[in-house]
Amino acid sequence: MANPIINFPDDQSEVRHGLKVLVDSGLTLEQVEKIREKIGNGPGKIPYTKETTGLRRYMVQELLSANLSNSQISRVLKLSKETVNADRQQNRSLWTESILKSQDCHRARLLNEAMELKEQALSQFEVSKKRTVTTVSERGEMTTITESAGESSFLTVARNCLEQQAKVLGLYEIKPQSEEKKSYKNFLDDIAKTIGDVKEKEEKAQAIDTTFTVAENDEPTEPPSALATISV
């Protein structure tokens, strides 16, 4: 921060404001004075520990949030501007790491949920391919039709899950390395075409007349099988 956002009439007002900010953040005056007067790297100072270093960085962050500049923070805490700047950089680094870890956690959860839903959709698609329709004519003849096309809606769900997985992983718009290699998006488009083909087969399967009649002839003919299976 090049210029301070808050200007004070004198150094004492600046320090009083800084102390008030720190106390309002939940610190005690004893903790603040310990950092200002007792802890440090110079002669007669108590060396920093992991705890006191963390406390100092917390104070720097609180004063920074209160719109104080590096110079103002250094005067309030009696630190060098180099130490204040280093603490700011460390705080920013820790914050960035925490954000990345949080994103990784959510990304992993989303991928896992999409994968589970995709597997369920594909499993149900396979079940739908084995669906059978059985009809019985007036003559007592039974006809069974097995529709092998499957429900295209399950493939649509699976494709959407794949698409979400690709987006989370940053692969959705990946560019091909050569003319012979397709992008992941093209791969998903191929799946969409497959779904269209399945829908077309569904329509054909639904158009099949499941009623079969046997013509009565004087001459014996080969009787129809009890179970006639038509695969689509």
Side-chain angles (χ1 to χ4, degrees):
M1 191 181 301
N3 297 313
I5 298 178
I6 303 177
N7 293 308
F8 300 95
D10 51 56
D11 291 346
Q12 289 76 16
S13 299
E14 184 178 77
V15 171
R16 283 196 299 270
H17 177 78
L19 295 179
K20 183 178 184 305
V21 168
L22 295 174
V23 171
D24 290 344
S25 71
L27 297 170
T28 64
L29 284 175
E30 181 181 1
Q31 288 175 312
V32 176
E33 288 304 314
K34 185 176 182 180
I35 295 297
R36 296 182 74 236
E37 304 292 347
K38 298 179 181 180
I39 307 297
N41 298 319
K45 296 283 187 177
I46 302 174
Y48 281 107
T49 63
K50 183 177 181 180
E51 179 183 356
T52 54
T53 299
L55 184 61
R56 186 194 71 211
R57 289 172 177 167
Y58 174 78
M59 293 180 182
V60 169
Q61 190 61 36
E62 288 297 319
L63 294 174
L64 182 64
S65 299
N67 296 324
L68 270 66
S69 67
N70 282 12
S71 297
Q72 290 173 322
I73 295 173
S74 68
R75 288 192 291 270
V76 170
L77 296 180
K78 295 185 176 181
L79 300 172
S80 68
K81 287 188 288 185
E82 290 75 16
T83 298
V84 173
N85 185 62
D87 284 347
R88 288 186 59 181
Q89 296 299 326
Q90 178 65 18
N91 289 340
R92 183 181 293 111
S93 176
L94 292 175
W95 178 80
T96 302
E97 289 179 7
S98 66
I99 291 296
L100 291 176
K101 288 180 181 179
S102 177
Q103 289 180 343
D104 288 341
C105 178
H106 291 305
R107 185 180 292 111
R109 179 178 58 81
L110 289 173
L111 286 173
N112 184 59
E113 291 177 354
M115 186 177 299
E116 290 180 354
L117 183 58
K118 179 188 68 178
E119 293 301 325
Q120 291 177 9
L122 292 176
S123 175
Q124 290 302 313
F125 173 70
E126 291 299 323
V127 172
S128 70
K129 288 170 62 176
K130 300 175 183 178
R131 185 181 60 185
T132 59
V133 178
T134 302
T135 61
V136 179
S137 68
E138 294 180 355
R139 298 170 62 91
E141 297 164 344
M142 184 172 62
T143 301
T144 301
I145 294 178
T146 300
E147 298 182 2
S148 61
E151 292 287 346
S152 62
S153 58
F154 293 121
L155 288 181
T156 300
V157 173
R159 178 184 182 275
N160 291 338
C161 291
L162 279 171
E163 186 174 299
Q164 290 302 315
Q165 287 177 288
K167 289 179 178 179
V168 170
L169 293 172
L171 299 175
Y172 189 68
E173 294 294 343
I174 190 171
K175 295 181 179 180
Q177 296 180 357
S178 66
E179 294 181 358
E180 297 178 354
K181 294 184 178 180
K182 294 183 177 181
S183 69
Y184 198 83
K185 185 175 185 301
N186 289 337
F187 168 68
L188 296 176
D189 291 338
D190 290 341
I191 295 180
K193 183 178 182 302
T194 302
I195 294 174
D197 294 340
V198 172
K199 287 184 177 179
E200 184 178 351
K201 289 183 179 180
E202 283 181 352
E203 294 174 357
K204 291 181 179 179
Q206 292 172 0
I208 296 177
D209 184 4
T210 59
T211 302
F212 290 85
T213 60
V214 179
E216 296 182 357
N217 297 322
D218 294 334
E219 297 181 359
T221 60
E222 184 179 350
S225 61
L227 294 178
T229 301
I230 301 176
S231 299
V232 180

